[in-house]
Amino acid sequence: MGLGGGQYRLPVPLWLLLTCLQQGTGLERISYVPQLSSPTLAGTLTQSTFTLEQPRGQFSRLNISDLDTIWLVVAHSNATQNFAAPQRVEDIPVPADFSQRGYYLTLMANRLLYPGNQPGNQLRVLRVGNDTRCSPKTRGCNHPLPGPGPYRVKFLVMSDRGPVAETEWSSETRLQQAKALQAVPGPQSAGTVVIIAILSVLLAVLFTALLALLIYTCHDTCRSAPISGPEQSTCMRRYNTHHVTDPPAVGAS
């Protein structure tokens, strides 16, 4: 340290250290805000997932290497202030910790998967909550989201020495919610809808039974009185009365 021109100057390493402490975490801040994919894309928002645009070309920094991992931080909107970047891979929160911590990390990647030169004929998106097969206790599991939100996300870069850089938090994202079934507008309760459905099923069963009975009756009638075709013989029953006798045979004496 020294005096020069009446100003107090700090050595460069100490100045850098104080700058990092003033920033709070010491991470490099990337001025990128994660964005939802185009609203015209089907399935951008569902009841348990949402789709983001890939952060292409956002991690071409000198202090970020191709071996560093890029995580997506998913958090409840009211838990972003409590987020603390994990210092080790073992400390990375999983989806099972979501209800307790309010955030978890998923969709592990590296910057080679997010190049800046995107071909115009390819669609590059990230679907959050799209893996129903992984265990929520598994690190990096992209488990379906538990509720409608709201949620906020950001990207975090980590090396084997700890966190390196992070983006800005996204705006709030709310998922779709299931709507109650209502047949017609009006003050109809759920019990009314159930009764209408049961009566409809019973009516269909009754109609089917009547149709089967009609078919059986017609079939039985036609079988008892068959109609012969041109090449078929018809069996006729012969009846003899008591007062009519057969005519005498020709040539009888």
Side-chain angles (χ1 to χ4, degrees):
M1 293 184 291
L3 298 175
Q7 296 180 352
Y8 183 74
R9 297 182 179 178
L10 295 176
V12 174
L14 182 59
W15 177 80
L16 291 176
L17 176 61
L18 292 177
T19 301
C20 293
L21 292 177
Q22 289 176 357
Q23 291 178 352
T25 62
L27 300 180
E28 180 182 359
R29 183 62 60 84
I30 301 175
S31 58
Y32 172 76
V33 179
Q35 301 288 333
L36 289 175
S37 59
S38 174
T40 59
L41 178 64
T44 298
L45 292 175
T46 68
Q47 295 182 17
S48 60
T49 67
F50 62 90
T51 304
L52 297 172
E53 293 182 355
Q54 288 191 2
R56 304 183 67 82
Q58 300 297 327
F59 304 103
S60 56
R61 304 294 197 276
L62 294 178
N63 63 332
I64 300 177
S65 71
D66 295 341
L67 299 179
D68 294 339
T69 55
I70 302 174
W71 295 88
L72 180 71
V73 183
V74 181
H76 286 298
S77 182
N78 57 1
T80 56
Q81 299 296 330
N82 301 327
F83 173 75
Q87 300 301 311
R88 302 179 305 168
V89 176
E90 294 78 8
D91 300 331
I92 291 178
V94 297
D97 302 326
F98 197 26
S99 59
Q100 180 180 1
R101 295 193 181 186
Y103 57 86
Y104 66 95
L105 274 62
T106 185
L107 293 177
M108 184 184 68
N110 56 59
R111 69 178 184 179
L112 296 178
L113 298 177
Y114 302 138
N117 52 345
Q118 177 182 3
N121 58 349
Q122 293 186 6
L123 181 63
R124 303 284 185 174
V125 294
L126 297 174
R127 188 175 293 276
V128 182
N130 195 40
D131 193 350
T132 59
R133 297 171 297 178
C134 66
S135 170
K137 297 182 180 180
T138 303
R139 186 181 301 116
C141 173
N142 189 21
H143 197 263
L145 297 169
Y151 302 101
R152 299 178 69 184
V153 298
K154 72 175 179 180
F155 292 94
L156 175 67
V157 184
M158 294 188 62
S159 67
D160 54 357
R161 298 181 303 275
V164 177
E166 63 181 357
T167 66
E168 305 288 347
W169 285 104
S170 68
S171 57
E172 292 186 348
T173 298
R174 297 179 183 271
L175 303 183
Q176 294 181 354
Q177 300 185 37
K179 297 181 180 180
L181 177 63
Q182 187 172 357
V184 293
Q188 294 184 354
S189 63
T192 304
V193 175
V194 172
I195 292 175
I196 294 175
I198 294 176
L199 292 177
S200 300
V201 173
L202 293 177
L203 182 61
V205 172
L206 179 60
F207 177 78
T208 304
L210 291 176
L211 183 61
L213 180 60
L214 180 62
I215 294 175
Y216 175 80
T217 303
C218 293
H219 178 71
D220 185 70
T221 304
C222 294
R223 186 176 58 180
S224 60
I227 301 176
S228 301
E231 298 178 358
Q232 295 177 344
S233 60
T234 303
C235 295
M236 301 294 292
R237 182 174 296 178
R238 182 176 180 181
Y239 294 91
N240 295 327
T241 60
H242 295 286
H243 61 279
V244 178
T245 57
D246 294 335
V250 179
S253 56

